[in-house]
Each structure stands twice: as C-alpha cells, then as structure tokens.
Amino acid sequence: MAKQGRKIMVIDDSITNVILLEAILNIRGYNAITALNAKDAFPLIEKEKPELILLDLFMPETSGFELLKIIKSNEAIKNIPVIIVSAVTDDYNILKSKALGAIDFIKKPIDIQLLIEKIEEVIS
C-alpha cells in the first residue's frame, strides 16, 4: 500500500526529537504532523485524524500519559494507534503506557530501523 501522504503525528516537547522524527517520516514518504505539547496536539489529532501517533511521555503541563487517556476516551479518535517514544524505559512506565492503550513503546535514543519497522507494521 502506498504510504505517500499517510499522516503520522509526532508529539514531543523536544524540538530536536520532533525535527529528527519529522525528517525520518518525510524521507519515508509519510506526512508528519507535529506538536510540541499535548495542548497543541489534541485539536490537531481531532482535525487531521492521523493513522498513528508517536507520543513522548514526559512533557510540561500535560504528560503523555494524560494525553493518552484523553485520546483513548474520545470516541472520534480512540482507535488511532499510539506508540510511546520515551527515554524513561522502566517496566512501570512501559506497563502503564500499555495499560492506558499504547500499542508499543520505543526507547530513546531512537533506533531508526526499529522505529520504521514498527510504523510499517502498524500502518500496513
């Protein structure tokens, strides 16, 4: 299936991570939609309806956990798959992410090949 223009949302408070992920996605033919915080991300998710969300856990104001709860409790967007991308990779945070509805967890620093494989697994 063609991936040209398929939307993937990146939500991370690190501009460096956002730029990196956006570049990787664009090179692979995806349309990256980005937000630096949960407050900006939520209306974009509702408007754009991405096919996948890459979500950081620890952001100021609203955490990735909180945003994940909001996404999964919203009828219009709850079926969008979410992969957590975080530097904090202890069992507690991985299990909590999955309990809240994340389908996978990728640790930072990001293994680009692994990331692409997981994205293609979800989107195909």
Side-chain angles (χ1 to χ4, degrees):
M1 185 185 243
K3 50 189 168 188
Q4 197 60 42
R6 297 183 78 177
K7 298 176 193 170
I8 297 178
M9 178 125 196
V10 176
I11 308 163
D12 196 317
D13 61 324
S14 161
I15 189 76
T16 306
N17 287 336
V18 168
I19 291 169
L20 171 69
L21 288 168
E22 185 176 28
I24 292 166
L25 293 170
N26 289 339
I27 287 167
R28 303 294 289 202
Y30 296 106
N31 178 11
I33 303 156
T34 63
L36 293 169
N37 59 60
K39 187 175 74 97
D40 293 344
F42 187 70
L44 273 174
I45 296 167
E46 287 189 307
K47 178 178 174 248
E48 298 287 342
K49 304 257 189 317
E51 290 183 58
L52 174 64
I53 297 169
L54 302 176
L55 177 62
D56 183 29
L57 284 181
F58 297 100
M59 298 180 286
E61 293 175 48
T62 306
S63 74
F65 289 127
E66 290 303 313
L67 182 57
L68 185 56
K69 282 183 204 168
I70 293 165
I71 292 166
K72 294 305 175 183
S73 66
N74 182 308
E75 213 43 54
I77 59 175
K78 72 179 189 181
N79 292 325
I80 299 171
V82 177
I83 295 176
I84 301 299
V85 181
S86 180
V88 182
T89 59
D90 59 279
D91 288 345
Y92 173 78
N93 287 300
I94 293 171
L95 292 172
K96 183 175 178 183
S97 299
K98 291 188 176 177
L100 291 174
I103 60 162
D104 216 329
F105 197 104
I106 295 175
K107 66 180 182 181
K108 293 177 185 173
I110 299 164
D111 174 333
I112 295 170
Q113 190 55 46
L114 177 67
L115 175 71
I116 294 301
E117 286 169 14
K118 288 187 183 282
I119 288 170
E120 292 179 353
E121 230 172 76
V122 171
I123 288 197
S124 61

